[in-house]
Amino acid sequence: MAATTGRTRAIARALTALLPMAPYADIEAIRAAAGARDMREMPASIAVWLATIAHVRHAHTDYDRLLAEGYDRDAARFFVVDEINRTLTRWRATRLLDGEESE
């Protein structure tokens, strides 16, 4: 249980460092995703970053609509980078998504 508690604390610290002004509902969704089984092998800061980008992409952009319209994943991701960064900026994120960055 100590490892789980340590991991939970590491995720909480990473969330606080990355997203100081994010809304509680968004933070909780990101926390859950970062704590998922498939993220456990990653450092907490990387798990939080990947969970943040995935959450913002699906919850705060037109990404899913673009996919439904027939865009492939890479094209849809390209078109929502600015929307993702606007959301991250509102949340005072300490890191933004680079359009050239691969996940």
Side-chain angles (χ1 to χ4, degrees), residues 5-6 9 19-20 26 35 38 42 46 49 51 53-54 58 65-66 73 75 80 82 86-87 93 96-98 100:
T5 302
R9 281 194 295 253
L19 304 169
D26 292 297
D38 61 336
M42 297 177 199
I46 293 173
W49 173 247
I53 296 305
H58 290 283
R65 182 185 56 78
L66 292 171
R73 281 180 31 184
V80 299
D82 290 338
R86 277 192 294 277
T87 299
L96 297 178
L97 183 62
D98 178 357
E100 302 296 315

Side-chain angles (χ1 to χ4, degrees), residues 54-94:
H55 173 74
V56 172
R57 179 186 301 127
H58 290 283
H60 296 279
T61 73
D62 292 330
Y63 177 75
D64 293 321
R65 182 185 56 78
L66 292 171
L67 291 178
E69 288 178 1
Y71 286 86
D72 66 27
R73 281 180 31 184
D74 290 335
R77 287 178 178 193
F78 172 81
F79 287 118
V80 299
V81 167
D82 290 338
E83 286 179 88
I84 291 170
N85 284 334
R86 277 192 294 277
T87 299
L88 293 174
T89 299
R90 276 195 319 273
W91 294 352
R92 312 253 178 179
T94 56

Side-chain angles (χ1 to χ4, degrees), residues 15-35:
L15 278 166
T16 300
L18 178 65
L19 304 169
M21 300 297 289
Y24 179 77
D26 292 297
I27 287 290
E28 288 307 303
I30 294 165
R31 182 188 320 275

Side-chain angles (χ1 to χ4, degrees), residues 30-54:
I30 294 165
R31 182 188 320 275
R37 183 175 300 266
D38 61 336
M39 298 278 215
R40 286 191 184 146
E41 298 300 318
M42 297 177 199
S45 60
I46 293 173
V48 165
W49 173 247
L50 293 176
T52 297
I53 296 305

